[in-house]
Amino acid sequence: MEKRKCLECGTEVMGRADKKFCNDYCRNAYNNKFNKDSKNLVRNINNRLRKNYRVLDSFKLTDGKTKTTKTRLMDKGFDFEYITNLYTTKKGTTYYFVYDLGYLPLDNDFYMIVKRE
């Protein structure tokens, strides 16, 4: 039978046939290296989305919606370039969402913020 080596440190692995690491430390170290955002692009986009979500979440919603201005959104650091999805109603109205919070552009630089239930 072939001896198995720990994927992180290379020491011999004892135990189950499908075991890949010698201990939890090696498993965590390997997965942290493997799963880290090796590209700044992914990390920066996730940070931007998180910031946009916090900005939308900072507005108090009444019956799942509220109105605000583009200036107030931008003053809080909202970046209109980063959304997670679009929702178009049957009437053709397009809502821009960051996860479950979204906004609808209205007239005169006003925006309606909504929460998807």
Side-chain angles (χ1 to χ4, degrees), residues 60-103:
K60 185 177 188 293
L61 303 181
T62 306
D63 295 327
K65 59 187 175 182
T66 191
K67 281 187 184 176
T68 190
T69 63
K70 183 175 187 174
T71 305
R72 283 190 66 202
L73 285 168
M74 292 176 71
D75 286 348
K76 291 185 174 208
F78 193 82
D79 187 340
F80 290 91
E81 297 290 316
Y82 293 91
I83 60 170
T84 56
N85 60 316
L86 297 171
Y87 175 72
T88 305
T89 64
K90 290 179 183 174
K91 293 180 180 178
T93 307
T94 301
Y95 288 82
Y96 300 84
F97 277 88
V98 180
Y99 305 112
D100 65 335
L101 293 172
Y103 61 91

Short mmCIF file of all heavy atoms in Angstrom, two decimals, residues 60-103:
data_model
loop_
_atom_site.label_atom_id
_atom_site.label_comp_id
_atom_site.label_asym_id
_atom_site.label_seq_id
_atom_site.Cartn_x
_atom_site.Cartn_y
_atom_site.Cartn_z
N LYS A 60 -33.02 53.79 6.65
CA LYS A 60 -34.16 53.18 7.33
C LYS A 60 -35.27 52.98 6.33
O LYS A 60 -35.72 53.92 5.67
CB LYS A 60 -34.64 54.09 8.47
CG LYS A 60 -35.74 53.49 9.31
CD LYS A 60 -36.09 54.43 10.45
CE LYS A 60 -37.04 53.81 11.43
NZ LYS A 60 -38.35 53.56 10.93
N LEU A 61 -35.72 51.75 6.19
CA LEU A 61 -36.76 51.42 5.23
C LEU A 61 -38.12 51.40 5.91
O LEU A 61 -38.26 50.89 7.02
CB LEU A 61 -36.50 50.06 4.59
CG LEU A 61 -35.17 49.89 3.87
CD1 LEU A 61 -35.07 48.49 3.27
CD2 LEU A 61 -34.97 50.93 2.80
N THR A 62 -39.12 51.96 5.25
CA THR A 62 -40.50 51.92 5.71
C THR A 62 -41.28 51.07 4.71
O THR A 62 -41.31 51.40 3.52
CB THR A 62 -41.09 53.34 5.78
OG1 THR A 62 -40.24 54.15 6.59
CG2 THR A 62 -42.48 53.32 6.39
N ASP A 63 -41.87 49.99 5.20
CA ASP A 63 -42.57 49.05 4.31
C ASP A 63 -41.65 48.52 3.21
O ASP A 63 -42.06 48.35 2.06
CB ASP A 63 -43.82 49.68 3.69
CG ASP A 63 -44.88 50.03 4.73
OD1 ASP A 63 -44.98 49.29 5.74
OD2 ASP A 63 -45.59 51.03 4.55
N GLY A 64 -40.38 48.32 3.54
CA GLY A 64 -39.42 47.73 2.61
C GLY A 64 -38.85 48.68 1.58
O GLY A 64 -38.20 48.24 0.63
N LYS A 65 -39.08 50.00 1.75
CA LYS A 65 -38.52 50.95 0.78
C LYS A 65 -38.38 52.34 1.39
O LYS A 65 -38.96 52.64 2.43
CB LYS A 65 -39.39 51.03 -0.48
CG LYS A 65 -40.81 51.45 -0.23
CD LYS A 65 -41.61 51.34 -1.50
CE LYS A 65 -43.08 51.64 -1.23
NZ LYS A 65 -43.90 51.50 -2.42
N THR A 66 -37.56 53.16 0.74
CA THR A 66 -37.39 54.56 1.12
C THR A 66 -36.82 55.31 -0.07
O THR A 66 -36.39 54.70 -1.05
CB THR A 66 -36.47 54.72 2.35
OG1 THR A 66 -36.55 56.05 2.82
CG2 THR A 66 -35.03 54.38 2.04
N LYS A 67 -36.80 56.64 0.00
CA LYS A 67 -36.23 57.45 -1.07
C LYS A 67 -35.02 58.22 -0.54
O LYS A 67 -34.97 58.58 0.61
CB LYS A 67 -37.26 58.46 -1.59
CG LYS A 67 -38.28 57.90 -2.52
CD LYS A 67 -39.14 59.02 -3.10
CE LYS A 67 -40.23 58.46 -3.97
NZ LYS A 67 -41.13 59.51 -4.45
N THR A 68 -34.10 58.48 -1.44
CA THR A 68 -32.93 59.29 -1.11
C THR A 68 -32.42 59.94 -2.40
O THR A 68 -32.96 59.68 -3.48
CB THR A 68 -31.83 58.47 -0.43
OG1 THR A 68 -30.82 59.36 0.05
CG2 THR A 68 -31.21 57.46 -1.37
N THR A 69 -31.39 60.73 -2.28
CA THR A 69 -30.81 61.38 -3.45
C THR A 69 -29.50 60.72 -3.84
O THR A 69 -28.85 60.04 -3.02
CB THR A 69 -30.53 62.87 -3.17
OG1 THR A 69 -29.56 62.96 -2.13
CG2 THR A 69 -31.80 63.61 -2.77
N LYS A 70 -29.09 60.94 -5.06
CA LYS A 70 -27.82 60.43 -5.54
C LYS A 70 -26.67 61.01 -4.73
O LYS A 70 -25.71 60.31 -4.40
CB LYS A 70 -27.65 60.77 -7.03
CG LYS A 70 -26.40 60.21 -7.65
CD LYS A 70 -26.35 60.49 -9.14
CE LYS A 70 -25.16 59.77 -9.77
NZ LYS A 70 -25.16 59.91 -11.23
N THR A 71 -26.80 62.29 -4.37
CA THR A 71 -25.75 62.95 -3.59
C THR A 71 -25.56 62.28 -2.25
O THR A 71 -24.42 62.05 -1.82
CB THR A 71 -26.10 64.44 -3.39
OG1 THR A 71 -26.32 65.03 -4.67
CG2 THR A 71 -24.99 65.18 -2.68
N ARG A 72 -26.65 61.94 -1.56
CA ARG A 72 -26.52 61.28 -0.25
C ARG A 72 -25.86 59.92 -0.39
O ARG A 72 -25.03 59.53 0.45
CB ARG A 72 -27.90 61.13 0.42
CG ARG A 72 -28.38 62.45 1.02
CD ARG A 72 -29.61 62.28 1.87
NE ARG A 72 -29.30 61.49 3.06
CZ ARG A 72 -30.22 60.83 3.76
NH1 ARG A 72 -31.49 60.87 3.39
NH2 ARG A 72 -29.89 60.15 4.82
N LEU A 73 -26.22 59.18 -1.43
CA LEU A 73 -25.59 57.88 -1.67
C LEU A 73 -24.09 58.05 -1.91
O LEU A 73 -23.27 57.34 -1.33
CB LEU A 73 -26.24 57.17 -2.86
CG LEU A 73 -27.62 56.57 -2.62
CD1 LEU A 73 -28.26 56.17 -3.94
CD2 LEU A 73 -27.53 55.38 -1.69
N MET A 74 -23.75 58.98 -2.76
CA MET A 74 -22.34 59.19 -3.09
C MET A 74 -21.55 59.73 -1.90
O MET A 74 -20.39 59.37 -1.71
CB MET A 74 -22.21 60.10 -4.31
CG MET A 74 -22.71 59.42 -5.57
SD MET A 74 -22.70 60.47 -7.02
CE MET A 74 -20.96 60.60 -7.32
N ASP A 75 -22.17 60.58 -1.08
CA ASP A 75 -21.50 61.10 0.11
C ASP A 75 -21.14 59.97 1.08
O ASP A 75 -20.15 60.06 1.82
CB ASP A 75 -22.37 62.13 0.83
CG ASP A 75 -22.40 63.47 0.09
OD1 ASP A 75 -21.58 63.67 -0.84
OD2 ASP A 75 -23.27 64.30 0.43
N LYS A 76 -21.95 58.92 1.10
CA LYS A 76 -21.68 57.78 1.98
C LYS A 76 -20.70 56.79 1.34
O LYS A 76 -20.36 55.79 1.95
CB LYS A 76 -22.99 57.07 2.33
CG LYS A 76 -23.88 57.88 3.23
CD LYS A 76 -25.10 57.07 3.63
CE LYS A 76 -25.91 57.86 4.65
NZ LYS A 76 -26.66 56.97 5.52
N GLY A 77 -20.28 57.06 0.10
CA GLY A 77 -19.28 56.21 -0.56
C GLY A 77 -19.86 55.18 -1.49
O GLY A 77 -19.17 54.24 -1.88
N PHE A 78 -21.12 55.30 -1.88
CA PHE A 78 -21.73 54.33 -2.78
C PHE A 78 -21.12 54.46 -4.17
O PHE A 78 -20.90 55.54 -4.68
CB PHE A 78 -23.25 54.56 -2.86
CG PHE A 78 -23.98 53.42 -3.51
CD1 PHE A 78 -24.32 52.30 -2.80
CD2 PHE A 78 -24.33 53.49 -4.85
CE1 PHE A 78 -24.99 51.25 -3.39
CE2 PHE A 78 -25.01 52.44 -5.46
CZ PHE A 78 -25.33 51.32 -4.73
N ASP A 79 -20.83 53.31 -4.80
CA ASP A 79 -20.26 53.26 -6.15
C ASP A 79 -21.26 52.56 -7.06
O ASP A 79 -21.48 51.36 -6.93
CB ASP A 79 -18.93 52.52 -6.12
CG ASP A 79 -18.19 52.59 -7.45
OD1 ASP A 79 -18.84 52.86 -8.48
OD2 ASP A 79 -16.97 52.37 -7.44
N PHE A 80 -21.85 53.30 -7.98
CA PHE A 80 -22.90 52.77 -8.85
C PHE A 80 -22.40 51.74 -9.85
O PHE A 80 -23.19 51.10 -10.52
CB PHE A 80 -23.60 53.92 -9.58
CG PHE A 80 -24.43 54.77 -8.67
CD1 PHE A 80 -23.89 55.89 -8.05
CD2 PHE A 80 -25.75 54.45 -8.40
CE1 PHE A 80 -24.64 56.67 -7.20
CE2 PHE A 80 -26.52 55.22 -7.55
CZ PHE A 80 -25.96 56.33 -6.94
N GLU A 81 -21.09 51.55 -9.95
CA GLU A 81 -20.52 50.58 -10.88
C GLU A 81 -20.60 49.14 -10.36
O GLU A 81 -20.43 48.20 -11.13
CB GLU A 81 -19.05 50.92 -11.16
CG GLU A 81 -18.85 52.26 -11.84
CD GLU A 81 -19.34 52.26 -13.28
OE1 GLU A 81 -19.05 51.28 -14.00
OE2 GLU A 81 -20.01 53.23 -13.66
N TYR A 82 -20.83 48.97 -9.06
CA TYR A 82 -20.76 47.63 -8.47
C TYR A 82 -22.11 47.18 -7.95
O TYR A 82 -22.61 47.70 -6.95
CB TYR A 82 -19.72 47.61 -7.34
CG TYR A 82 -18.32 47.81 -7.87
CD1 TYR A 82 -17.78 49.08 -7.96
CD2 TYR A 82 -17.58 46.73 -8.32
CE1 TYR A 82 -16.51 49.27 -8.47
CE2 TYR A 82 -16.31 46.91 -8.83
CZ TYR A 82 -15.78 48.18 -8.90
OH TYR A 82 -14.53 48.36 -9.42
N ILE A 83 -22.70 46.21 -8.65
CA ILE A 83 -23.97 45.60 -8.24
C ILE A 83 -23.82 44.09 -8.41
O ILE A 83 -22.89 43.62 -9.06
CB ILE A 83 -25.15 46.12 -9.09
CG1 ILE A 83 -24.93 45.80 -10.57
CG2 ILE A 83 -25.36 47.61 -8.88
CD1 ILE A 83 -26.13 46.06 -11.45
N THR A 84 -24.75 43.34 -7.81
CA THR A 84 -24.69 41.89 -7.97
C THR A 84 -25.68 41.37 -9.01
O THR A 84 -25.43 40.36 -9.63
CB THR A 84 -24.95 41.17 -6.64
OG1 THR A 84 -26.21 41.60 -6.11
CG2 THR A 84 -23.84 41.43 -5.65
N ASN A 85 -26.80 42.06 -9.18
CA ASN A 85 -27.76 41.62 -10.19
C ASN A 85 -28.76 42.71 -10.53
O ASN A 85 -28.87 43.71 -9.83
CB ASN A 85 -28.49 40.35 -9.75
CG ASN A 85 -29.26 40.53 -8.48
OD1 ASN A 85 -28.79 41.11 -7.53
ND2 ASN A 85 -30.49 40.04 -8.45
N LEU A 86 -29.48 42.48 -11.64
CA LEU A 86 -30.53 43.39 -12.10
C LEU A 86 -31.86 42.66 -12.02
O LEU A 86 -31.92 41.44 -12.19
CB LEU A 86 -30.30 43.79 -13.57
CG LEU A 86 -29.04 44.56 -13.90
CD1 LEU A 86 -28.88 44.66 -15.41
CD2 LEU A 86 -29.10 45.94 -13.29
N TYR A 87 -32.92 43.42 -11.78
CA TYR A 87 -34.27 42.85 -11.83
C TYR A 87 -35.13 43.78 -12.67
O TYR A 87 -35.25 44.96 -12.37
CB TYR A 87 -34.85 42.71 -10.42
CG TYR A 87 -36.29 42.24 -10.43
CD1 TYR A 87 -36.61 40.94 -10.76
CD2 TYR A 87 -37.32 43.13 -10.14
CE1 TYR A 87 -37.92 40.52 -10.79
CE2 TYR A 87 -38.64 42.72 -10.16
CZ TYR A 87 -38.93 41.40 -10.49
OH TYR A 87 -40.24 40.99 -10.52
N THR A 88 -35.71 43.24 -13.73
CA THR A 88 -36.57 44.02 -14.60
C THR A 88 -38.01 43.55 -14.42
O THR A 88 -38.29 42.36 -14.57
CB THR A 88 -36.14 43.89 -16.07
OG1 THR A 88 -34.76 44.24 -16.18
CG2 THR A 88 -36.95 44.79 -16.96
N THR A 89 -38.89 44.48 -14.10
CA THR A 89 -40.30 44.14 -13.90
C THR A 89 -40.98 43.91 -15.25
O THR A 89 -40.41 44.19 -16.31
CB THR A 89 -41.03 45.27 -13.16
OG1 THR A 89 -41.03 46.44 -13.99
CG2 THR A 89 -40.38 45.58 -11.82
N LYS A 90 -42.21 43.42 -15.20
CA LYS A 90 -42.97 43.21 -16.43
C LYS A 90 -43.22 44.52 -17.17
O LYS A 90 -43.37 44.54 -18.38
CB LYS A 90 -44.30 42.53 -16.11
CG LYS A 90 -44.15 41.10 -15.66
CD LYS A 90 -45.49 40.48 -15.33
CE LYS A 90 -45.28 39.07 -14.82
NZ LYS A 90 -46.52 38.46 -14.36
N LYS A 91 -43.26 45.62 -16.43
CA LYS A 91 -43.47 46.93 -17.04
C LYS A 91 -42.18 47.49 -17.65
O LYS A 91 -42.19 48.54 -18.27
CB LYS A 91 -44.00 47.92 -16.01
CG LYS A 91 -45.39 47.60 -15.52
CD LYS A 91 -45.85 48.62 -14.51
CE LYS A 91 -47.24 48.30 -14.01
NZ LYS A 91 -47.69 49.26 -12.98
N GLY A 92 -41.05 46.82 -17.41
CA GLY A 92 -39.78 47.26 -17.98
C GLY A 92 -38.93 48.11 -17.05
O GLY A 92 -37.90 48.62 -17.46
N THR A 93 -39.35 48.26 -15.80
CA THR A 93 -38.57 49.02 -14.82
C THR A 93 -37.39 48.16 -14.34
O THR A 93 -37.59 47.01 -13.98
CB THR A 93 -39.45 49.40 -13.62
OG1 THR A 93 -40.62 50.06 -14.11
CG2 THR A 93 -38.71 50.29 -12.65
N THR A 94 -36.19 48.71 -14.33
CA THR A 94 -35.01 47.96 -13.92
C THR A 94 -34.53 48.40 -12.55
O THR A 94 -34.24 49.57 -12.32
CB THR A 94 -33.87 48.13 -14.94
OG1 THR A 94 -34.33 47.68 -16.22
CG2 THR A 94 -32.64 47.33 -14.54
N TYR A 95 -34.46 47.44 -11.63
CA TYR A 95 -33.91 47.65 -10.29
C TYR A 95 -32.49 47.11 -10.29
O TYR A 95 -32.20 46.07 -10.87
CB TYR A 95 -34.72 46.89 -9.24
CG TYR A 95 -36.08 47.47 -8.95
CD1 TYR A 95 -37.17 47.19 -9.78
CD2 TYR A 95 -36.29 48.28 -7.85
CE1 TYR A 95 -38.42 47.71 -9.52
CE2 TYR A 95 -37.54 48.80 -7.57
CZ TYR A 95 -38.60 48.51 -8.41
OH TYR A 95 -39.83 49.03 -8.14
N TYR A 96 -31.61 47.80 -9.60
CA TYR A 96 -30.21 47.39 -9.46
C TYR A 96 -30.01 46.89 -8.04
O TYR A 96 -30.30 47.62 -7.09
CB TYR A 96 -29.28 48.58 -9.73
CG TYR A 96 -29.46 49.15 -11.12
CD1 TYR A 96 -30.47 50.07 -11.39
CD2 TYR A 96 -28.63 48.75 -12.15
CE1 TYR A 96 -30.64 50.59 -12.66
CE2 TYR A 96 -28.80 49.26 -13.43
CZ TYR A 96 -29.81 50.17 -13.68
OH TYR A 96 -29.99 50.66 -14.94
N PHE A 97 -29.50 45.66 -7.89
CA PHE A 97 -29.39 45.06 -6.57
C PHE A 97 -27.95 44.81 -6.17
O PHE A 97 -27.09 44.49 -6.99
CB PHE A 97 -30.15 43.74 -6.51
CG PHE A 97 -31.61 43.91 -6.24
CD1 PHE A 97 -32.51 44.09 -7.27
CD2 PHE A 97 -32.09 43.89 -4.94
CE1 PHE A 97 -33.85 44.26 -7.02
CE2 PHE A 97 -33.43 44.06 -4.67
CZ PHE A 97 -34.31 44.25 -5.72
N VAL A 98 -27.72 44.95 -4.87
CA VAL A 98 -26.51 44.48 -4.21
C VAL A 98 -27.02 43.47 -3.19
O VAL A 98 -27.54 43.85 -2.14
CB VAL A 98 -25.74 45.64 -3.51
CG1 VAL A 98 -24.49 45.10 -2.83
CG2 VAL A 98 -25.40 46.73 -4.50
N TYR A 99 -26.96 42.20 -3.57
CA TYR A 99 -27.54 41.11 -2.79
C TYR A 99 -29.04 41.32 -2.66
O TYR A 99 -29.73 41.35 -3.68
CB TYR A 99 -26.81 40.92 -1.46
CG TYR A 99 -25.32 40.73 -1.65
CD1 TYR A 99 -24.41 41.68 -1.23
CD2 TYR A 99 -24.83 39.60 -2.31
CE1 TYR A 99 -23.05 41.52 -1.43
CE2 TYR A 99 -23.47 39.43 -2.52
CZ TYR A 99 -22.59 40.39 -2.09
OH TYR A 99 -21.25 40.23 -2.30
N ASP A 100 -29.59 41.51 -1.45
CA ASP A 100 -31.04 41.65 -1.31
C ASP A 100 -31.50 43.10 -1.19
O ASP A 100 -32.69 43.36 -1.06
CB ASP A 100 -31.54 40.84 -0.11
CG ASP A 100 -31.02 41.36 1.21
OD1 ASP A 100 -29.94 42.00 1.21
OD2 ASP A 100 -31.66 41.13 2.24
N LEU A 101 -30.59 44.05 -1.25
CA LEU A 101 -30.94 45.47 -1.22
C LEU A 101 -30.72 46.06 -2.60
O LEU A 101 -29.69 45.83 -3.23
CB LEU A 101 -30.09 46.22 -0.18
CG LEU A 101 -30.35 45.86 1.27
CD1 LEU A 101 -29.32 46.53 2.17
CD2 LEU A 101 -31.75 46.27 1.68
N GLY A 102 -31.69 46.83 -3.05
CA GLY A 102 -31.59 47.39 -4.38
C GLY A 102 -32.02 48.83 -4.44
O GLY A 102 -32.47 49.40 -3.45
N TYR A 103 -31.86 49.41 -5.62
CA TYR A 103 -32.28 50.79 -5.83
C TYR A 103 -32.87 50.94 -7.22
O TYR A 103 -32.56 50.18 -8.14
CB TYR A 103 -31.13 51.77 -5.61
CG TYR A 103 -29.96 51.60 -6.54
CD1 TYR A 103 -29.89 52.30 -7.74
CD2 TYR A 103 -28.91 50.75 -6.22
CE1 TYR A 103 -28.82 52.15 -8.59
CE2 TYR A 103 -27.84 50.59 -7.06
CZ TYR A 103 -27.79 51.30 -8.24
OH TYR A 103 -26.73 51.15 -9.09
#
